[in-house]
Amino acid sequence: LVGSMAIAPATASAACRGFVQASAEGTFKTPTELLSRARWRSEVREKYGAGYAFWSKAEDKTTRCHKTEPGEKWRCIARARPCN
């Protein structure tokens, strides 16, 4: 029981880095959103290493998508603080 108590605080205090942002453009919203997150992971991997490149572990996550006009391509921006 004591051993599990010592592990819990370390898990709860994951180290997080500053915000990383990546964008993508595409015809369809969902694939473009997924591509922006894939690019975010790639950016994080280059900057901080593979241990931080998990969207699921990131904090303060947002993915925003928009079109400037009907018929235009979707533009999505994924932004989050990578954590290990």
Side-chain angles (χ1 to χ4, degrees):
L1 185 62
V2 174
S4 64
M5 293 172 92
I7 294 170
T11 305
S13 62
C16 296
R17 302 293 180 127
F19 279 101
V20 174
Q21 180 172 299
S23 63
E25 286 188 14
T27 305
F28 301 102
K29 183 180 178 183
T30 300
T32 305
E33 185 175 10
L34 294 173
L35 181 57
S36 70
R37 290 182 189 171
R39 288 183 176 169
W40 178 91
R41 288 190 298 273
S42 180
E43 292 276 333
V44 169
R45 195 175 299 112
E46 281 184 37
K47 195 170 185 178
Y48 300 119
Y52 286 87
F54 294 94
W55 183 257
S56 60
K57 292 182 181 180
E59 291 188 0
D60 305 316
K61 299 180 273 194
T62 60
T63 305
R64 294 197 170 110
C65 299
H66 70 277
K67 284 185 174 187
T68 53
E69 294 181 26
E72 294 289 319
K73 290 187 173 190
W74 283 99
R75 178 170 168 81
C76 295
I77 299 171
R79 184 175 191 263
R81 293 177 45 228
C83 304
N84 66 356

